[in-house]
Structures are given as structure tokens and as C-alpha cells.
Amino acid sequence: GIRNAVATLGTSLTREHAIILRRYTDKVIVVFDGDEAGKKAALRVLDVFLPEGLKPLMVILPEGHDPASLIFEGRQDEFQKSLESAAPILDFMIERNIRSFEEQKTSRSAAVKEIVDVLSKMKDPIERSYYIKKTGESFGVREDELLSLLKFGDKLKGRISARKPANNDERLVLKTLLKFPKLVDYIREDDLIDIFPENEIKTVLEHIILNGFDDLSSLLFKFNDSSVQEAISEVVFLSDDVPDEATAWRLLKDCIRKLKLKRVEENLRVVRIKIDRAIAEKNNLLEEKLIKEYRDLIQEEKNIRGRD
């Protein structure tokens, strides 16, 4: 038979269970059914076991089987071997999230945040360091960025913001400046902050322009607004394919150009509406003024598009 085994009586594991188990061992092998519900139940034990210093492993049984059915079919040796080759649940979780991201079932940000949240509960600093490195390599996120989010801990956990998300160009500008802080001078000297719409990205950029920043962790702690914190964390998980400052400079100028065009296009839309209203109201003076403003905007748009 198999010694040192205990039934969970369902999937309801609690902190009290973990504390009792920790008195006897630091390694626990979890065996749930081989279906999707069983795999999800195995993942849930991370929240219970890791804070108590336990190292949970898992056995994935063949689809449609549980331990009793394997034993009943005379497959004791197979089951024993599966126990001996049990793998860390955290490894399974990371691989599962990688597949979900690669299959576009979830975003990079959501996949990594779920892992970071679990790592924040891990007591062993050496184990945590190993998994930070593994997560960074798997998702293309720098280790220092993961460490900053890890230090930030539960402040980002489970927060869902009702804000209107920034577009990708705005995020890329912030991402580039976080990686190459010297380029902040380009935004500051040309007074480009006004081209950004009023949102969380602009709030962060204004802070950086006025105060600079030491590192990502300190920047996160500067803001009490959860939506701003969430915006920063989303930027961290953007794909990072900017290898050097020269490339970053070109990317920054291209993003600024697109943002300028977007602002002009929005102004053109608003002025067109005003012109139609002036025509309807037969306000000729206002109509002439707005038409001139519209032409100036058209020229500004041409100038922006004509720049390298």
C-alpha cells in the first residue's frame, strides 16, 4: 500500500490543513482526478501550501481516472511510478499559462500576473528567484521588472480598472522611457506632453518628466491610484524588442508622430461638427473662422505626415 496518505474529502484544502502537514514534511504530492476540474483543483492548492512553506508536487492521472480506478485495474506499479516522478505544481502552472498565451487565450499581462501573484506567496527566496528567472525567460519579461512587481505584491492583485485603456503607442512611449530614462528629455524639451490624452499613461509621464524616477518599484509606490498602478504594470508586460537606445529613439519618434496625427484627426472631426452646426445656424462669421481652423489643421496633418 501507500503510506503517509490523506484524503482531502473533496477539494477543500485550508490553511489549517497546511499547518498540520508542515509539522511532518515540507513536500506534499497532490493527486486529483485527471480531468480539467482536477487540474484546476491542483492549482488552487498553491495559494494554501506556499505561504506555509510547503512545496506542492502533482501527479496528472490519465483522463477519466482517479487513484482508486487505477488500483482497481491492477495498475499499482504505474501509479507508484507516477508518484515518484511527480512534478512541482508551479512548473505545471507556468507551462499551462505559456500555452494559454501562445494560443492567444489570454494576454501576456494576465498570464504573467497570475504567476507573479503565486510567487509572492512563496517563502523560499532561492526557489522564488529560480521561478522569477524561468517566468521572465518564458514570457520575454525582464527579471528586474518581475522583481519590482513582486515587491509591489498584493496591491495589484485582482484589480479590475474601469478606465479607458491607453492605445499601444502611448504604452510604447512609456515602456521606452522606463527602459531608457535619458529619452525623457525629448518629451520634456519639446513640450510634447500635451499630445497625450488625459489618462493614466499621461499621469505617469507627467510625473517622470517633473521628477524622474529611480526604478520601477519606487515608481509604482508613488501612486495610490490603483488604475495608475495597473497601467504601469500593463506597460511592463509589453513585448520588449528594443535592444538599444538608437532603436528606442526611432521607436519613440514614430510613436510621437502617430500620437500627433491622432490628435489632429480628432481635432478635425470636432471642427467638422462645429462647421456643420454653424451652417445650420447660418452663422457665416463663425463658419469662416472654423473653415480657416480646419484648413490649418489639414496643413498641420500634411506637415506631420511629411516628416521622417
Side-chain angles (χ1 to χ4, degrees):
I2 297 172
R3 298 181 178 180
N4 302 324
V6 62
T8 59
L9 301 178
T11 58
S12 299
L13 279 168
T14 67
R15 180 172 177 266
E16 286 69 27
H17 292 140
I19 291 172
I20 293 171
L21 286 170
R22 188 66 182 86
R23 295 174 187 169
Y24 301 97
T25 183
D26 65 349
K27 184 175 76 171
V28 178
I29 300 176
V30 176
V31 185
F32 286 122
D33 295 351
D35 56 12
E36 186 62 21
K39 293 174 183 177
K40 289 181 178 179
L43 290 174
R44 284 197 295 271
V45 308
L46 289 169
D47 290 337
V48 178
F49 285 168
L50 290 182
E52 303 308 322
L54 289 166
K55 299 175 182 178
L57 310 176
M58 71 180 291
V59 169
I60 300 178
L61 297 175
E63 187 75 28
H65 280 283
D66 58 27
S69 65
L70 287 177
I71 302 299
F72 183 76
E73 291 180 3
R75 298 163 67 179
Q76 294 94 328
D77 291 343
E78 179 183 340
F79 182 58
Q80 184 63 48
K81 287 180 180 178
S82 68
L83 293 177
E84 293 169 0
S85 61
I89 298 180
L90 194 47
D91 286 353
F92 172 76
M93 177 190 183
I94 292 174
E95 293 301 320
R96 184 185 177 96
N97 283 22
I98 290 171
R99 286 196 303 274
S100 182
F101 168 62
E102 290 176 344
E103 294 169 4
Q104 298 184 333
K105 294 178 180 178
T106 188
S107 67
R108 183 198 309 267
S109 175
V112 175
K113 281 180 190 176
E114 186 178 16
I115 297 170
V116 169
D117 181 47
V118 171
L119 293 180
S120 70
K121 300 177 175 66
M122 183 177 281
K123 280 192 170 183
D124 188 331
I126 296 175
E127 284 281 299
R128 187 167 58 236
S129 177
Y130 165 78
Y131 281 109
I132 288 170
K133 182 176 182 180
K134 180 173 182 175
T135 302
E137 291 173 349
S138 299
F139 288 93
V141 180
R142 299 203 326 255
E143 285 184 50
D144 61 328
E145 294 174 335
L146 289 175
L147 283 168
S148 294
L149 292 175
L150 192 62
K151 290 177 185 177
F152 202 62
D154 290 337
K155 289 193 174 185
L156 292 177
K157 180 183 176 182
R159 284 182 174 161
I160 300 175
S161 174
R163 65 189 170 84
K164 182 180 179 181
N167 71 26
N168 202 50
D169 290 315
E170 294 164 41
R171 293 193 187 101
L172 279 173
V173 169
L174 181 55
K175 174 78 172 182
T176 303
L177 297 182
L178 290 176
K179 188 171 182 180
F180 300 97
K182 290 181 181 179
L183 296 180
V184 171
D185 290 339
Y186 172 63
I187 306 289
R188 182 187 296 117
E189 291 171 2
D190 286 2
D191 198 22
L192 294 173
I193 193 65
D194 289 338
I195 69 172
F196 291 86
E198 296 295 333
N199 59 23
E200 289 77 8
I201 295 292
K202 184 173 183 177
T203 299
V204 179
L205 288 172
E206 286 176 329
H207 175 84
I208 291 175
I209 289 170
L210 290 173
N211 306 293
F213 74 101
D214 296 323
D215 53 53
L216 182 60
S217 182
S218 63
L219 183 63
L220 281 165
F221 279 102
K222 290 290 183 182
F223 299 98
N224 293 321
D225 187 335
S226 62
S227 63
V228 176
Q229 297 162 353
E230 182 74 10
I232 296 172
S233 70
E234 286 178 357
V235 165
V236 167
F237 297 122
L238 285 177
S239 178
D240 187 358
D241 56 355
V242 185
D244 52 57
E245 192 166 314
T247 304
W249 171 245
R250 290 193 296 272
L251 175 65
L252 183 61
K253 289 199 294 184
D254 184 58
C255 289
I256 293 297
R257 177 175 171 274
K258 290 177 182 177
L259 289 169
K260 285 181 176 180
L261 282 172
K262 184 179 179 182
R263 184 188 62 170
V264 171
E265 289 165 359
E266 176 61 21
N267 288 340
L268 283 169
R269 185 187 68 81
V270 172
V271 172
R272 278 196 297 267
I273 293 172
K274 290 181 178 180
I275 290 173
D276 290 341
R277 188 181 301 136
I279 292 173
E281 295 173 355
K282 298 181 179 180
N283 189 334
N284 295 332
L285 288 176
L286 179 58
E287 180 187 347
E288 289 178 10
K289 179 182 177 182
L290 290 170
I291 288 174
K292 181 180 183 306
E293 183 179 347
Y294 189 83
R295 288 171 178 166
D296 290 342
L297 286 169
I298 291 292
Q299 185 59 51
E300 183 180 353
E301 182 182 35
K302 289 180 179 178
N303 292 340
I304 295 171
R305 292 187 185 280
R307 292 172 187 166
D308 293 332

